[in-house]
Amino acid sequence: KEIMKKYIISIFFLFFIYNLQSQVLIALLLGDKLNNGKMEFGLDGGLNFSSISELEANKWKRDFNLGFYFDIKMKKQWYFNTGVLVKSSLGVDNLSETDLNEIGTNLEITQLGDYTQKISYFLVPTLAKYRFKNNLYVEAGPQFGLMYKAWLEHNFNDEEGNENRIREENKDAVNRMEVGAVAGVGYRLLEGLGWTIGVRYHYGLTNVYKNISSIKNHALFLKLNIPIGVSEAKKEEIKEVKDQKQKEKEKKKKSKKQKN
């Protein structure tokens, strides 16, 4: 029953990702129609810092992430945020000998170099987002992940100073499903009509490894959202904002000249 349950969940996620990729292709072709005020589609990327709790490792792993997002307007200033990070890697850097023995590895454990756990997930946020009138927003909700690749990595320099990298896949030791609680805050540029910058924290609720309990993922995401395709009404609104800013600059210049 447990195996069947895992297969059903995996099939659901694969179907969801496949369906989402189809939506992305449609959005790229029909971006102007999708970005119509009720729904916004765009690129979601940035930098994330991750760690795994209860290990001796004391260095957060840094990596880039990239995917797509959808902001769907629900009511007044409330939105539903979802999408998928297609390229996203969690894990931890600077694993100790104790950590490696606990996780389990066939790598030769030496004092040279650094050992890292890397886990690639498809991450799918399902967040409630509230946008304030000053263009700030807050968001919170669950985030789901499907692991598709995991490996331990040993990076070191040999006696001649050459950089070496040894990898060992440990996908079978890692749980396929990742569930976490997410909270974030951000700001919309260009008077609420341009790119969005923000920060999002992922607090893991499920065990990272199959045979080790109480070890969770934690990650901090520095985000940049770029809308793709803008409706004619939105373009006109952006133009009005830019024109208004230009008029304000000209007024300031005139007032300075008059004072002088």
Side-chain angles (χ1 to χ4, degrees):
K1 290 183 179 180
E2 187 66 25
I3 294 172
M4 182 61 69
K5 183 180 177 181
K6 289 181 179 179
Y7 274 119
I8 291 171
I9 294 172
S10 298
I11 290 169
F12 170 78
F13 262 87
L14 289 172
F15 174 78
F16 179 84
I17 291 164
Y18 174 80
N19 186 50
L20 189 58
Q21 287 174 336
S22 299
Q23 293 180 42
V24 166
L25 290 173
I26 294 170
L28 289 171
L29 295 172
L30 304 174
D32 288 352
K33 294 182 179 180
L34 283 178
N35 284 289
N36 54 16
K38 294 182 180 179
M39 178 187 291
E40 179 179 293
F41 161 80
L43 291 174
D44 182 359
L47 186 66
N48 65 282
F49 301 86
S50 62
S51 68
I52 299 176
S53 66
E54 306 302 324
L55 295 177
E56 291 183 353
N58 56 11
K59 187 176 180 182
W60 288 59
K61 187 181 75 65
R62 182 179 63 186
D63 208 345
F64 291 98
N65 55 77
L66 181 64
F68 306 93
Y69 75 92
F70 289 93
D71 267 350
I72 303 169
K73 191 169 186 178
M74 303 300 289
K75 188 178 179 181
K76 293 184 179 179
Q77 291 163 267
W78 286 98
Y79 292 79
F80 173 68
N81 174 267
T82 187
V84 58
L85 284 180
V86 179
K87 182 192 180 301
S88 58
S89 174
L90 303 183
V92 67
D93 208 355
N94 200 23
L95 291 165
S96 68
E97 183 175 346
T98 302
D99 294 334
L100 291 167
N101 288 327
E102 186 173 9
I103 294 169
T105 179
N106 291 320
L107 292 174
E108 182 183 356
I109 302 174
T110 69
Q111 298 298 318
L112 297 174
D114 185 38
Y115 293 86
T116 302
Q117 171 71 74
K118 293 188 177 183
I119 310 172
S120 295
Y121 292 97
F122 293 115
L123 291 177
V124 180
T126 55
L127 310 180
K129 176 186 285 189
Y130 184 83
R131 292 183 183 176
F132 296 96
K133 292 182 179 180
N134 61 0
N135 304 319
L136 285 170
Y137 73 83
V138 292
E139 59 183 2
Q143 180 164 259
F144 304 92
L146 178 65
M147 183 273 296
Y148 62 91
K149 187 166 58 175
W151 68 96
L152 290 167
E153 188 173 286
H154 181 201
N155 294 285
F156 63 97
N157 293 331
D158 59 24
E159 294 178 354
E160 297 177 356
N162 299 315
E163 293 184 357
N164 290 270
R165 177 181 297 170
I166 301 174
R167 288 185 176 183
E168 177 189 69
E169 289 192 13
N170 66 338
K171 181 178 177 181
D172 293 337
V174 178
N175 282 313
R176 287 184 64 82
M177 301 301 302
E178 166 69 15
V179 181
V182 166
V185 62
Y187 181 77
R188 189 72 182 263
L189 304 172
L190 191 60
E191 301 296 325
L193 300 171
W195 293 7
T196 300
I197 55 174
V199 59
R200 181 181 289 176
Y201 186 75
H202 172 98
Y203 183 88
L205 301 174
T206 53
N207 293 326
V208 176
Y209 299 101
K210 293 178 180 178
N211 299 319
I212 311 173
S213 61
S214 302
I215 292 184
K216 320 289 185 183
N217 279 312
H218 299 280
L220 182 70
F221 293 83
L222 304 181
K223 295 168 51 61
L224 175 65
N225 287 355
I226 304 173
I228 294 178
V230 183
S231 65
E232 291 301 321
K234 204 74 172 178
K235 288 178 182 177
E236 187 63 30
E237 195 174 352
I238 291 172
K239 184 177 181 300
E240 288 177 4
V241 170
K242 288 182 176 180
D243 290 343
Q244 184 63 34
K245 283 188 173 183
Q246 185 62 34
K247 288 178 181 178
E248 290 176 358
K249 286 182 180 179
E250 290 175 357
K251 283 183 179 179
K252 287 180 179 179
K253 286 181 180 180
K254 285 182 181 180
S255 62
K256 284 182 179 180
K257 286 181 179 179
Q258 290 174 355
K259 288 180 180 179
N260 294 332

